Amino acid sequence: MKTVCFLVLCALFAYAQSQSSGDVRLVNGTNTGGPVGRLEIYLNGAWTTVCADDGFCTNVATVVCRQLGFSTIGAQAYGLALYGQGSGTVGAQNFNCNGSETSVSQCTYTTPSTCPHSMDAAVSCRFSTLCSNRGHSGCCSSGCYVSSGACWCDASCHTYNDCCPGIEYTCPAGGVPPPSLPPASTSCNTVGDIDFIGGAASDGRLKVCDTDYRWKTVCSSGFDNNEATVICRSLGLSTSNFTIYPVSQYGQGTEDIYAKNLSCTTGNSEAYLTDCAGSDVCCGHHNDVGLACQPACTNGQARFVGGSTSMEGRLEICYNGRWGTVCDDFWGINDARVACKMAGLPWRGAQAYSGPQVSNLFGSGFGPIWLDNVQCSGTESDLFSCPANAVGSHNCVHYEDAGAKCAPGPCELAGYTSTCCDPTTSNCQGINSEEVCHCSPDCEEHGDCCIDYTLACRCNNNELRLRGGTVPNEGRVELCYNGEWGTVCDDFWNAPDARVVCRQLGYTYNLAASQAFLYAYFGAGTGSIWLDNVFCSGTETHLVNCSSNAIGSHNCGHYEDAGVRCAVAVAATCQHGAARLVRGPSEREGQLEVCYNGQWGTVCDDFFGQVDARVVCKTIFPNEPSNGALFIQYSYQYFGYSTLNNIVMDNVQCSGNEPNITSCPHITNHNCYRWEDVGIACYEPGAYNNQPALVPGPNAGRLQVYSTTTGWGTVCRNTFDLQDARVVCRELGQPTGSPRVYVNLQFGRGYGSTSTIIKNIACTGNETNFNNCSLSKTGYCSHYSDVGVGCEQACGENQIRLVGGANYTEGRLEVCRDGQWGTVCDNPNSRTFATEEAVVICKQLGLPYTAAQVQSFGRGADPIHYSNLDCIGNEANLASCAKNMNPSCSSHTYDVGVTCQDSCTTHEVRLVDGSSPSEGRLEICLGGTWGTVCDSQFHNVDARVVCKQLGLPYGGAEATYDASFGQGDDHVAITNLYCTGSESSLAQCNYQTGSSVSCSHANDAGVICQNPCTNGAIRVAGASLPNAGRVEICYYQQWGTVCDKSWDTPDVQVACYQLGFERSPVRAFGGSKYGPGNGDIFFRDVACAGTEAGLGYCISNPDTSECTHNDDAGIQCNGAAILPTATPIAPTGPPPEIVSNITQIPINDYSHRVTWSPPLTTNGIITNYTVTIQVVGGSMPPNVTTILGNKATLVTFTTLMPGVPYMMNITASNIYGAGDVYSYMFFTNQLTPNTPVTITQPTRVDENTISISWIPLNTYQARGYVTGYQVAYAVFQEGVNPQWTTVNTDSTTTSWTSPNTLIASQRYAVTVAGITSAGLGLATNPMVIVPTTSTALFQLKIALNAGQQCGTWTTESSTAKLTTIVNKVVIEINKQCQNCFSSALIAQQRFQCNPDTTESDQVTFRAQLFAPGSRTATDIVGFISTWVMGTTAPATVNIDGVDFAVDSSCTAAVSDFNADFCTTSRPTVATGSSSGLGTGATAGISAAVVITLLAAVCIVVVVVVFFVVFNNRSKKFPDHDVVGYSNRMAFPEGGDDNISQHMGSTVHDDDFQEALNMISDDIDDKAKLDEGRVYMNT
């Protein structure tokens, strides 16, 4: 027992000796995801806890995690004994670490602590070895995963940010997709978004989306009512009823901390918490703030904000107690009317404002966007009753917020009721002779009183109306004459004429303010021009009372149509005498606008000065002294031109005591221009001389200094430096650690006399206020040299940051040196800043870097820390790179900046800056960098390939031009892109790049990916209204526009009806009133009757070559929709006529193009052309191509074949059906015929004349168009080349008769061949014509040697032996009967083995003999008999050294033959030599052959025609080659295909074996006699 105790004591002693003062540990926590627990520190020989006071923050936690060997990324500090209270001593408090220390011993702290254990601190760390344990080494390496082309580390690594996370690295081969992407619970989507944790929907622990798109808790440092107000307002909740809670209410968070000492302005000009100023602080989660915001409104409420009155402004509606905005998609006049109803305001005269107008006039909203795609009919009582997306579902941002201006309708203002027109009441005007009632033109145009639209309203002579304006009291002047409206020419048109028009129309309020407009200011009219050269005095009651040309006499065009704007008495929108400053950087400076007689207007600067400015400032800021006022002349240079149309005051001369500016002496009739509008700055007066201020402030802005004698002035930048700036910051109570000097007017120019500018300043930097410095106003300096000052906290050495970019991945580089932020310049004379430096910067910031780029982000502020930064690219930080510590740049012109990004893959494409992922500016990756595409030669077919490559709908893809989605920032990568449409990516298309690109970003192409539209459909665009806009029609499954040539009311009536609106009243517009469209212009000269069901039923002209998009047609339909029961009845009509002007264009042997013109009479719009192509005489199915619309009047077919006839049919169709078919046949290229002509009927005319006929070649056989036939004939003699005589016939001749000079006993050869434009075709096999003569058939049987049976021979042996037998026998026969058995008749010989039981030892030879000259068949048999029987002894046939003897005792007879010679005995083998025939394979034939004549002679006198081929297929007559039998023998076509393949081949004796083998299968064929003609059954 003693031993055990001793060992325990020893262990405890050893443990105590192993601990050192300052060691730390985490206890009572878990290691799930990383070490976490109560922090304890070893002090004075014991473990103690740490107090989590205000000094305990993430810097301390970072040091603790580093000391413990864990990752410092994401280290978090906690308090309030989160992991339980410790025991013993609370050892330390008031920690102060900067976060870079390696242990807490290097930090300062107080010991012991006076805190209770309820404030015990805790820390959470993350495993630094987590990823290496899983196969990762720092950034993603082995074991990474691929998902959608992105590289991800192990899920847990990514979660804890402990290996390079995200999509910035290319994954090596072998990666596999994880089941899901790594968790991203800490990520957020929109900077400034707010979320609540631990409470309800509008209360809890605060989380804000920071600029790195990660949720962060909010530090309570500096958080008060101003910050709470900004948050609640950004959420659409109450700004007056909220509660701020300490951390105990909702607990401590786990995310990173938004650690700033926030300072939102008292006026709450910030839209989001992240817009508030604030200095960085160190904070822990025991300082997390909580907030509860209360509902701000009742569901269904509506209000207008940002306007000059409650009747106009940005629309906000209430849902779930929160105010939110409405997106302007589809926002129009009907929606504005419903919004005004919803707000309880007058609505008939409502005007709609879209996003850009709202942003400019009323400012963009914030908080939720409740509604999108609102499409009201105008009859609803609130917007939630209108068709729209689900509440909260949108694809918008706040610069698209909708707005409206509510007002009574024109009829209400004029005293009319909204009842239907009643001729018996006084509320109607213009009752004409036909007793047709209509309201006043103003009411009619705005649809503001009920009108019977089925009645045609006629005008009365000399009536006037205004058209084309945005309000009733302005527009193009139109005069009625003979019931027809016409325009007035603007020659000599001026204000007196306008006053007469306004008086006649009843606008008598302030006639002097009537304005005249020239050059079709309100759009060009149509129809007649009634008046020209109008001269009015201004007092006439009617325009026709003025001097003018005669009615209808003019020399004008509608581009000269006159217009007017009449003054009207409108409800006051402001209080007379009120003043405001607009378009300035703050509420205290801007352009002056004064309320005069209830309307806002500007003030001319004639006689205006400082005294007048003080009266204005006293009016705007009544509770402040006005001696800080400053008059700003030429205000447009600072604030731009006013959007108001009226200057209400001039020659203002105040004494200074007036209550408002309208009380000062002035005139209202001015002689001023817009650039003379007054500007004013109302600054609070300073408390003492040389008091500094920053505008707009509070910690950065233009430096202004107060003078008790001259007021506020600015400071010149010339001698101003960091020490001067530090004094300014100190006096203003701002951070002095890193002052900045802005010398490039980053905060704009100041105002006032240059005498107020302090020109020279000299501070040491230690002064407590600016007045203690040396200041001088002598010298020269202008406001273009005004200096700015920034006040920031000191930074850590070698820290870097990016500022001035659109997001955290880009910006101007700033580095920390000696605790001071400054820029880095790249001296233009020795530039070194390039990609390598950008890579190091991005890596140091933990941002994507593989495709980092150098980019400028404007000029920064002093100081410039160094220049000529020079990195290799593998450094871990910029501190390791070479640099010039004494910068050689004299200004910030060359401040460097970078964009951090990963590289892209060549030919990768993307769409950017669109409102949805399916549209945007087209950018393509080349060489690892992104660039834009020039719109030169860019078409819809190219856009379709882009969408196809992106996996988006591409059938209706549209190409856009002229940077319609904004201009790109990178280079223009390619131009002249050309795709056929069949490609799957742009990599397969043609394009030019490099020096061929001459476009600017103003020509950046864009793409809209969408499904194809339905041919014939129409839509309106450019007006955000369902019933008005630019007309676009779907044709060729693409949207295009209509040219305004001949565009008039009947066309608009049809278009409106097709869109679902009533046919009247309607208005036609030209000159691209609703903006120019994109893509094709499909039609012009549309000629509708007005009753058709759609534009497709109207006649039109597809030739739009003279039109541009500046001629796009527009419409305005009556807002009343057609009743659902009103089903349109499609009219009937004729189809189009046949197409015209067909042009065939053979491209090559395999491609053919055809073009055509539209039918001369289309009878409506052509809906499609159908082109069918099919092989003539072939069995392949037809190839049908449909050309949608008439955009293309050509089609190209490929993969065709030369020499093949094709039939093409072209049909045009309109909406009524298909027209007549145009057909034609074509060849891509004609070839010579390759099919022989078939001779069908050889006949004997007389002893000296022969006639033949043939079957003509069809087009398919001829491989072209037959132009004729060539007949060739020649005398046929064995061994002699024929001398051919040729005769050409035309293409219709199919017979030929020889001259009557033929010799009756002579043989002639005849051939026929077809002719095309390609040349002479393949000739028929020569036909041998034999005049009157005799033939005979005979059979010879040859016995074999004893024991030999031919049936047992192999194929090879049989061929060789039979060849030898036949060859020798033929030679012997020809010796006895010269020319009677020639090569011309070899086609009739047959030989075979007799494998039956009785003759298996014999070979049969059969042949047909020819009796030459005057000899007969009897003579032939005699010759053979003489040879066989012999005169003195039987004949012999020597075959391979064996003599075959003759025996005549054979009695076997074969029917149908003239003679049958056969063996009767088997002779013995005789020895002897060859008779000059040479030796060959042993035939194995018996020693003797006995041949006997058996049958009588049968003589038939006939004209025999034998088909003999003299030439091979590769030759064409007349070059026939007939060779004698003595040295080589011509073999004819046999009885099967194998033989036919060799027809006409010329065979030598050594080729005989092959020839015999070919025809051995036909030995059973018999010769047949028929009607005096002999045909061989071959």
Side-chain angles (χ1 to χ4, degrees), residues 1033 1035 1042 1051 1082-1088 1095-1104 1158-1166 1190:
I1033 186 169
Y1035 210 49
V1042 177
D1051 309 321
F1082 284 131
F1083 305 109
R1084 59 170 289 178
D1085 301 329
V1086 178
C1088 301
L1095 289 181
Y1097 295 99
C1098 303
I1099 304 297
S1100 64
N1101 181 1
D1103 180 11
T1104 60
L1160 297 178
T1161 302
T1162 60
N1163 297 317
I1165 294 174
I1166 297 295
N1190 67 343

Side-chain angles (χ1 to χ4, degrees), residues 823-838:
T823 63
V824 175
C825 81
D826 194 25
N827 192 310
N829 298 321
S830 55
R831 289 195 163 178
T832 59
F833 195 82
T835 303
E836 293 81 2
E837 288 70 34

Side-chain angles (χ1 to χ4, degrees), residues 707-880:
S707 168
T708 55
T709 58
T710 60
W712 288 103
T714 57
V715 178
C716 187
R717 69 189 180 194
N718 293 347
T719 62
F720 198 87
D721 60 17
L722 293 176
Q723 303 308 323
D724 307 322
R726 181 171 282 110
V727 174
V728 171
C729 293
R730 180 180 297 116
E731 183 171 355
L732 292 175
Q734 297 294 333
T736 61
S738 179
R740 310 299 301 278
V741 177
Y742 294 90
V743 297
N744 296 112
L745 296 178
Q746 285 93 333
F747 300 103
R749 290 183 290 148
Y751 323 108
S753 170
T754 58
S755 64
T756 64
I757 301 175
I758 298 178
K759 278 80 171 181
N760 297 289
I761 309 95
C763 301
T764 65
N766 299 318
E767 293 86 351
T768 56
N769 57 64
F770 197 57
N771 194 40
N772 297 139
C773 301
S774 174
L775 308 174
S776 170
K777 294 184 179 180
T778 60
Y780 176 76
C781 193
S782 74
H783 284 297
Y784 286 98
S785 299
D786 286 345
V787 76
V789 171
C791 305
E792 298 186 56
Q793 295 277 15
C795 51
E797 193 69 12
N798 294 323
Q799 279 186 279
I800 64 173
R801 68 184 182 184
L802 301 179
V803 298
N807 57 61
Y808 69 98
T809 64
E810 64 179 21
R812 182 176 57 255
L813 173 64
E814 293 194 349
V815 300
C816 186
R817 178 179 174 186
D818 298 330
Q820 168 79 50
W821 286 111
T823 63
V824 175
C825 81
D826 194 25
N827 192 310
N829 298 321
S830 55
R831 289 195 163 178
T832 59
F833 195 82
T835 303
E836 293 81 2
E837 288 70 34
V839 167
V840 174
I841 292 167
C842 296
K843 280 198 295 186
Q844 183 175 347
L845 291 169
L847 296 172
Y849 63 84
T850 57
Q853 289 185 337
V854 176
Q855 193 170 350
S856 174
F857 290 93
R859 300 174 181 180
D862 287 345
I864 301 174
H865 276 329
Y866 41 77
S867 63
N868 300 105
L869 187 66
D870 192 5
C871 304
I872 298 174
N874 58 5
E875 294 89 348
N877 51 58
L878 287 186
S880 304

Side-chain angles (χ1 to χ4, degrees), residues 444 536 814:
E444 181 180 332
C536 298
E814 293 194 349

Side-chain angles (χ1 to χ4, degrees), residues 457-463 479-486 530:
C457 294
R458 289 189 58 200
C459 59
N460 296 318
N461 278 355
N462 303 330
E463 277 188 78
L479 171 71
C480 179
Y481 183 73
N482 283 340
E484 177 189 347
W485 289 106
W530 290 134

Side-chain angles (χ1 to χ4, degrees), residues 1358-1376:
S1358 173
T1359 300
K1361 292 174 182 178
L1362 290 175
T1363 299
T1364 303
I1365 295 171
V1366 174
N1367 193 23
K1368 303 304 181 181
V1369 171
V1370 167
I1371 292 174
E1372 291 300 328
I1373 291 177
N1374 272 305
K1375 287 180 182 178
Q1376 304 302 320

Side-chain angles (χ1 to χ4, degrees), residues 487-706:
T487 62
V488 177
C489 182
D490 64 4
D491 293 345
F492 302 107
W493 188 255
N494 57 23
D497 310 315
R499 287 198 293 272
V500 173
V501 170
C502 294
R503 180 183 291 111
Q504 182 175 344
L505 289 172
Y507 294 109
T508 57
Y509 174 81
N510 196 7
L511 285 172
S514 302
Q515 296 175 272
F517 294 89
L518 312 178
Y519 298 114
Y521 182 87
F522 296 103
T526 58
S528 301
I529 299 176
W530 290 134
L531 293 180
D532 187 15
N533 295 339
V534 177
F535 287 95
C536 298
S537 66
T539 61
E540 295 86 351
T541 59
H542 290 80
L543 189 63
V544 293
N545 298 143
C546 300
S547 172
S548 69
N549 289 4
I551 287 284
S553 173
H554 66 88
N555 60 352
C556 307
H558 280 294
Y559 66 90
E560 299 174 89
D561 285 347
V564 302
R565 177 180 293 132
C566 303
V568 293
V570 295
T573 59
C574 55
Q575 184 176 358
H576 184 76
R580 63 187 181 186
L581 303 178
V582 298
R583 287 181 296 282
S586 72
E587 62 181 359
R588 291 187 169 273
E589 51 192 9
Q591 201 168 65
L592 173 61
E593 290 183 357
V594 174
C595 181
Y596 203 91
N597 289 336
Q599 300 298 314
W600 288 107
T602 59
V603 178
C604 181
D605 64 6
D606 294 344
F607 302 114
F608 205 92
Q610 290 295 116
V611 175
D612 310 303
R614 291 193 186 102
V615 173
V616 172
C617 293
K618 185 168 56 176
T619 303
I620 299 176
F621 302 102
N623 298 323
E624 297 177 4
S626 62
N627 53 349
L630 184 65
F631 162 51
I632 304 172
Q633 195 172 21
Y634 307 121
S635 65
Y636 74 94
Q637 296 182 359
Y638 303 95
F639 314 121
Y641 286 102
S642 173
T643 58
L644 300 179
N645 292 321
N646 54 328
I647 298 174
V648 296
M649 297 179 67
D650 190 14
N651 294 355
V652 177
Q653 300 180 69
C654 301
S655 66
N657 300 318
E658 293 85 354
N660 56 61
I661 192 171
T662 56
S663 301
C664 300
H666 67 276
I667 62 173
T668 57
N669 293 327
H670 63 85
N671 60 350
C672 304
Y673 297 94
R674 291 259 70 100
W675 50 266
E676 296 179 87
D677 286 342
V678 165
I680 291 178
C682 296
Y683 299 128
E684 294 186 48
Y688 51 88
N689 204 42
N690 292 326
Q691 176 185 344
L694 298 181
V695 179
N699 60 345
R702 182 178 65 251
L703 176 58
Q704 299 198 161
V705 178
Y706 184 72

Side-chain angles (χ1 to χ4, degrees), residues 359-405:
S359 298
N360 291 333
L361 297 175
F362 313 120
S364 297
F366 33 78
I369 298 175
W370 287 134
L371 291 178
D372 187 16
N373 295 337
V374 178
Q375 300 181 66
C376 301
S377 67
T379 61
E380 299 86 352
S381 58
D382 64 80
L383 292 176
F384 292 111
S385 303
C386 300
N389 290 5
V391 177
S393 173
H394 65 87
N395 60 350
C396 307
V397 293
H398 278 297
Y399 69 74
E400 298 175 86
D401 286 344
K405 181 176 183 179

